[in-house]
Structure formats: structure tokens, C-alpha cells
Amino acid sequence: MRRLLAAAAAALSAAALVALPGHASAASSPVPEFDFSACPAPPADADPDTWRCEAFVSQGVLTLGDRAIPLGELRLTFSEGKVDGKFAQVFGELRHAPARIPNGFGASLQLKYGGYSDFLSNDERRGELDLYAVLRHPLLPKECSIGTLDAPLHSVVKDDPAVPFELISQNPKTVKFGVVDTRLALPRATGCGPLSPVADHLLGLPSASGANTFKLATYVQFKPL
């Protein structure tokens, strides 16, 4: 097994030099530009004048044990309002560019929406979101992932005291806050073919709840619908 891991790691590294050259990232402004193009329309039976779209721009870090993976920018949109006097939501889109895995031989990780969300905050949490993480590399099958659409990772985020709530602007309403999930569990990688043991070894998978941290520093802007 050690020889297999070493040989596969060398192959991953060599392929990365050819197919995944490094690139410099542009500096981001303190308050990002917001994009409302993916805002979903309210339901046909929505209560008039109660619906708005929320556009999120986040910078994230996923920590598995002692390995920190800077996720870069995540963008998310959803609409919310009332239907028959009751709170309702419609998910829009999650966008995330592949993020390099440090010391991962050129492999990257891309978060995808897992089919469920609940952004109605309460005293227990800020929100909930189902995700899965696609692992990308020229030697990995396109189906290689941590979690899947059918069996996603379930993240429950709480307020992060390190990034307190801040009102940036009233018009348009723009806020900033941080969220953190310290209970996220990550299973073994799936769909990776013969390189599944290599993917698990590189990331320390499976990684039980309590050993991982998912953190986001988020700007949100609101737009009436």
C-alpha cells in the first residue's frame, strides 16, 4: 500500500506540473461586487411585497484535522418571503471555483449544492446547507467526490464570534458576518476508481464530526423582488 500511495502521489505531482500550472490570484476589494442574476423568482402564490433576494459573497476555509484548505470565494443566492403568511425560501445558485488543495499534487476541491438549504436563522444556528465536494485532477475520474448529490454533506453553521455582525450599508442593505460549523463529518471519497485510497490518504478521510471546521466570512446584499 505504501508503494502504491508513493507511486500515485508521484504521478499526481508530475501530471499537475503539466496540466495545472499555478496562477496568481487578484486582490479582492473590501466590499465585493454582488450579482443578482441567479435570483429565483417568487412562487406564483407568493404574498405581494414580501419577497427579496439575498446575494452572498464568502471567503471560506475547510479544515480537516490539521490540514487547512483555503476555499477562496463562494457565491450563493436565494429568495425568501411569505406564502399564505408563512415564511418560504427558494434556492438560487451556489458558485465555487475549484480551490487548490495544499500539498495535494495539483488536486483541487470544488463545492457543489447538495439539494437542501434552510437559511431561516434561529437561536440555535444561522442556517443549514447540503453540499458535496468534487475532487479534480487530470488523473481522477470526474465522478470523484466527497459526498454526492444523493448522499451530501450536511452543514449546520452557527455565528462565528471571530467575525461579528456588521451593518455595512442601509441602501442597499449590506451586512457582513461570519459562520462556522465544527460538527461537519466527511466520509471517504467515492467515484475515484483505483486512486480512491490516494484521495483518502491525502485528505485524511474519513474524518469524523468534531475533527473538522468549515468557516465562512460573508458579505450579504439584499434586493427586493
Side-chain angles (χ1 to χ4, degrees):
M1 177 60 74
R2 290 183 178 177
R3 290 182 178 179
L4 171 63
L5 294 175
L12 288 172
S13 181
L17 293 176
V18 175
L20 292 175
H23 61 277
S25 59
S28 59
S29 58
V31 179
E33 294 290 330
F34 294 91
D35 181 4
F36 291 91
S37 62
C39 291
D45 55 350
D47 295 351
D49 303 322
T50 66
W51 280 76
R52 66 184 184 182
C53 182
E54 299 190 19
F56 288 57
V57 182
S58 306
Q59 291 287 332
V61 176
L62 175 63
T63 303
L64 296 82
D66 59 356
R67 175 188 288 273
I69 303 174
L71 297 173
E73 183 179 271
L74 294 86
R75 287 180 174 263
L76 182 151
T77 53
F78 73 95
S79 297
E80 66 178 6
K82 291 185 177 181
V83 175
D84 294 331
K86 297 180 180 180
F87 180 81
Q89 297 176 342
V90 181
F91 187 83
E93 183 178 67
L94 172 66
R95 298 184 212 163
H96 178 230
R100 285 289 186 92
I101 299 172
N103 301 315
F105 304 101
S108 62
L109 177 152
Q110 185 178 27
L111 296 179
K112 299 282 190 176
Y113 178 56
Y116 171 80
S117 62
D118 181 1
F119 300 111
L120 181 60
S121 302
N122 57 36
D123 292 339
E124 298 298 322
R125 85 291 189 274
R126 172 70 67 170
E128 301 182 25
L129 181 66
D130 278 0
L131 302 159
Y132 62 100
V134 176
L135 298 177
R136 300 193 180 278
H137 190 278
L139 296 182
L140 292 173
K142 64 180 181 180
E143 299 84 6
C144 183
S145 65
I146 307 170
T148 64
L149 184 59
D150 292 330
L153 315 175
H154 183 63
S155 178
V156 180
V157 295
K158 299 184 178 183
D159 290 326
D160 183 0
V163 187
F165 181 89
E166 180 181 358
L167 177 64
I168 304 296
S169 169
Q170 281 282 15
N171 188 23
K173 186 174 181 181
T174 308
V175 301
K176 179 184 180 183
F177 56 84
V179 294
V180 59
D181 178 4
T182 59
R183 305 302 300 171
L184 182 66
L186 290 96
R188 295 185 185 277
T190 60
C192 305
L195 291 180
S196 291
V198 179
D200 289 340
H201 177 75
L202 287 175
L203 295 172
L205 300 174
S207 189
S209 174
N212 316 302
T213 304
F214 179 45
K215 298 185 72 171
L216 297 173
T218 299
Y219 288 90
V220 185
Q221 194 168 93
F222 303 82
K223 178 182 178 181
L225 294 176

